Amino acid sequence: MASPANHHDTAYQQSSGKLVLLLVFFCLTILVCLSAAVFYDYQKKTISEAAQVNLTMLTNLKARQVGHWRHERIIHARLLTANRDLLNSIASFSTQRTPDRANHIIQSLTPALSDSEDHAIVLTDALGKPILSVGDNINLETHIDPKPLIMALERHQVMFSKLFHVHGNTTGYHHGHSHADVHTTHVHMNLIAPLYRDGNPTQEVVGALVFIVNPEQFLVPLMTSWPVPSPSAESILVRKVDDSILRLTPSRHMVSPEMLVSAKPPKGYESPGSRILAEKEGVFLGYDYRQVPVLASVKKVDDSPWYLVAKIDKNEVMAPLFRIAAIEAVTATLILATAGLMMLLWWRRQQALYQAGYYQQQLQHQMLSQRFDNLTRFANDLVLLVDAEGQIIDANERALDTYGYPEGELKTFKLKDLCDLSQQECDLFWEQLKAEQGVRFETMQFRHDGSTFPVEINARWIELDRGHLIQAIIRDISERKAAEDQLIHQAYHDPLTGLPNRLLINDRLKLAIAKARRHKTQAVLLLLDLDRFKNINDTLGHAVGDRILTTLALRMQEALRDTDTVARFSGDEFLVLLEDIRELSDVVSLAQKLSELVSQPVIIDGEEMCLTTSIGISVAPEDSIEVDQLIRFADTAMYRAKEKGRNNFQFYTPDMNAHAGRRLQLENNLRKALQRQEMVVYYQPQVEMDSGRIVGSEALLRWMHPEHGLISPSDFIPLAEETGVIEEIGAWALEQACQQTVAWQKNHPELKIAVNLSARQFRNENLVDDIEQILNKTGLAARHLEMELTESLLMEDVDVAIDLMNRLTKLGITLAIDDFGTGYSSLSHLNRFPIDKLKIDRSFVNSMSLDNCGIARTIITLGRTLDLSIIAEGVETDEQRQLLLQLGCPQAQGYYFSRPIHDNAFSEMLKKPTILPNS
Ligand code: C2E
Ligand code: CA
Ligand code: CA
């Protein structure tokens, strides 16, 4: 029976903890990624900006350098054309071209040539025809572009030609260098400087100096150089030609880097070409001739048609960014992995801790359940575990056996489904259970086969691992109920005839009187006394007497209506109660009929016996509405019938006071009996059944009447009760008995004394004090005194009786229930009384035989289960003694051992070790 309720909570906590952890991790991831992205973006911007600035600066620098170079060359050329010496030499050479004069010119030009590292300087006439050249031996036809030459001469302007191809072998004329390889085409450019008469530009042009410029000397190296090593960066000089562009310097990324390559910039995206066509300068992102994304910068070279393009692959620019991104990615991954790992480890640890706690708890629960299981599984009672809705959730073996349901089916029921309770009762018990710790009640239970059995249910709350549950301990009280029923029946019936007894007829009479008054009818009581029955008993023996009584009882029972009651009142007296009588004539005929029935012969062992009966009749409510009085009146009438010669019947009449007179007399005498010392206490020994050893005695009153002789307590105790004299007499008897016992205890220190307590005494408020006083006065130890109480006495008001009994036992005395089984006591109350002993009534002992000892056995068993001592009263024969011994009854009193006797006789008896008759 284990399934922890709070496991759900912790499992929930656990899963929510997991969720929180995942959320934290998720947030951390986002944070790290976001900051990485921001950082990346920032880096990207910075890098790109730096790259743009660098590129722009570089472009401007190079463009300025190229512009500078051009400017310098023009200044240089102008200076040369203004050189007087050269001009004079040229003038003189034009008049007479002698080698000498030519040499003179050459000498003047050579320094300029070596400064400039040009291929050659050519001198032309005013029409542009070459006259002589200095420098490499070159083909003047191909190396001079005539168009710009003419333009320069016409415009009187120093001018650069375009760059142009020159085909053919140039080896050998390369000034200052000697290339081993052979170039088939070369690019050249001319710088043309017109010569003026007297060096004055306002004068006529006399010729021109044409510088054969080698771009590979300055421009190409300038373009191909880069301040830092870069795998993709390049700068190119470009010129616009109509709607296409011309790359003047070699492109680094071409398969064969050539100069003067013409190209049409592709449309649709930005490229350096498209920028130049649009004559736009500046830095931008676009695509180059390879269609590769580049960061490019365009700058126009001052005073020239040239544009300088510098560019670098975007990939290269962004390379550090990729590195940063990679580092960032690695860092972020590392951070996240570390954080994740730490979280995981922490989580694992938490989980391990939780698991450990959980299993420990689980173990505890299991141990608890196991213990509960072991406690209940094989218990003798039925144990059901019920949830707060009343649903059965577990049952022990005994319950399964008893109900006869398979375990699964039993668990489909609610506890109340098994109980024979009304909804109202159910609600009541349920409310009680909710309000208190537990509830105890008796009910009937249904078995699977539909049969029922009585139980006592003890339901209480218990705390198990599943929470608050109800444990119902269900005790099968069939045996107890049966015993109770049997005792109740026994209490109300005469054991010999099976007829209702005095107690039952009393009850019925009470009801009948009330009913008669209500219905304005009559209840009639007939008291039948068998005439001279004592004779039969004395001459033929009790056994015969008993058989006659049984036969007559049967006859009378058969003759009466169902509504009428016939009861055995005492030895040979019967009471007949007739209810709902309107005509007394009916009573007369019934009385006659009963007389006849009795007088019909009884045949026993072949012998015929004839009896007669005298009947006294009293009528309620006419004569009285008191039960006792009605009986007494019937008794009086019966005496009158006897006086009239027996075998007749008499209705009671108020003048029938003969009996009443006798009673009055007795009452008067009784008051004086104590003073006249007519009262005597007799003692009847109580013995150990097997050994016959005396363990105590019961004190029994006797009245030595001067005229009537020894009067039995049965005759005067009821009267003493009624008049209250019993209190005085009772106290005297108690003192007497205690005093006597103390005397006997000199030789028999453990001798006990049992004294009877009547109802009137029991109700006396001073009872406890009186007893205490008597004990003090006589010096008897309280534990040696036992008071005998009757059941009916206790049942009047159970709670008051318990209270009083508790006070009595506090004194130290013991309590016995007298005549046990003849009064009605609910056995459920019995265990509430603080009693020590049950006295089996002598009627049970009397009627006991080998195959009819049920009641005695029941009482003995009951005594054992309630942990009470048992003593049997009225043991008259050895057979009864043997039977009681077999049944396990340890003590007894009765005529078999001794009649109640005078103290002197008792003293004698005490001297013997055993009072068993045949020892
Ligand atoms: P009890 O308390 O049940 O006393 C036992 C009665 O059974 C006694 O009758 C006793 O003589 C009788 N008895 C004892 N052994 C046998 C036996 O083997 N066979 C038969 N047939 N009878 C036996 P007793 O002495 O006539 O007393 C009658 C009742 O009077 C007592 O019944 C008791 O209830 C009451 N009684 C006697 N003495 C006192 C007393 O001092 N105070 C009070 N309040 N009541 C007393
Ligand atoms: Ca008694
Ligand atoms: Ca008794």
Side-chain angles (χ1 to χ4, degrees), residues 698 756 788 818 839 873:
E698 179 178 1
N756 292 285
E788 297 190 358
D818 206 356
K839 295 191 79 174
E873 284 186 302

Side-chain angles (χ1 to χ4, degrees), residues 510-531:
K510 208 183 286 176
L511 291 174
I513 293 167
K515 204 167 135 192
R517 293 177 71 190
R518 254 201 329 274
H519 295 187
K520 306 251 185 294
T521 58
Q522 289 163 318
V524 177
L525 191 66
L526 289 77
L527 197 150
L528 287 79
D529 190 284
L530 301 180
D531 298 329

Side-chain angles (χ1 to χ4, degrees), residues 630-669:
L630 220 52
I631 294 174
R632 217 164 47 235
F633 289 165
D635 191 50
T636 306
M638 187 270 292
Y639 269 101
R640 176 54 62 87
K642 290 222 181 217
E643 280 166 14
K644 284 224 164 165
R646 299 193 162 86
N647 197 19
N648 68 39
F649 62 86
Q650 288 290 320
F651 278 90
Y652 171 79
T653 52
D655 56 284
M656 288 179 180
N657 52 10
H659 185 69
R662 202 180 78 118
R663 234 180 73 97
L664 206 69
Q665 204 185 351
L666 208 65
E667 200 181 302
N668 281 332
N669 291 342

Side-chain angles (χ1 to χ4, degrees), residues 68-225:
H68 235 84
W69 176 75
R70 282 179 67 116
H71 191 67
E72 244 175 32
R73 290 303 309 256
I74 287 168
I75 300 287
H76 205 253
R78 274 206 194 120
L79 281 177
L80 201 60
T81 54
N83 186 322
R84 286 255 151 231
D85 203 28
L86 179 66
L87 283 172
N88 287 342
S89 302
I90 290 168
S92 67
F93 182 71
S94 58
T95 54
Q96 193 176 22
R97 300 185 181 189
T98 64
D100 260 9
R101 286 178 184 178
N103 264 341
H104 206 259
I105 292 169
I106 289 166
Q107 269 164 25
S108 298
L109 290 176
T110 301
L113 183 67
S114 54
D115 276 359
S116 68
E117 293 190 337
D118 288 343
H119 279 303
I121 303 173
V122 179
L123 176 69
T124 66
D125 61 12
L127 294 172
K129 201 170 153 246
I131 299 168
L132 61 85
S133 77
V134 187
D136 294 338
N137 185 15
I138 52 164
N139 182 351
L140 295 179
E141 295 284 303
T142 55
H143 280 74
I144 295 176
D145 186 357
K147 244 201 291 182
L149 178 60
I150 301 301
M151 201 187 288
L153 288 174
E154 280 173 1
R155 292 188 189 171
H156 292 215
Q157 214 178 1
V158 179
M159 273 178 75
F160 276 102
S161 75
K162 292 175 183 170
L163 284 158
F164 59 89
H165 284 288
V166 176
H167 301 278
N169 197 345
T170 57
T171 310
Y173 66 68
H174 200 274
H175 179 86
H177 297 270
S178 95
H179 285 272
D181 50 340
V182 176
H183 295 275
T184 48
T185 61
H186 279 278
V187 173
H188 291 278
M189 188 173 67
N190 297 351
L191 172 65
I192 305 142
L195 292 165
Y196 311 99
R197 185 174 305 278
D198 300 328
N200 185 350
T202 55
Q203 297 286 331
E204 62 181 292
V205 173
V206 289
L209 285 176
V210 179
F211 297 83
I212 311 299
V213 177
N214 180 4
E216 291 184 26
Q217 275 301 322
F218 174 75
L219 283 179
V220 173
L222 179 69
M223 285 307 109
T224 50
S225 76

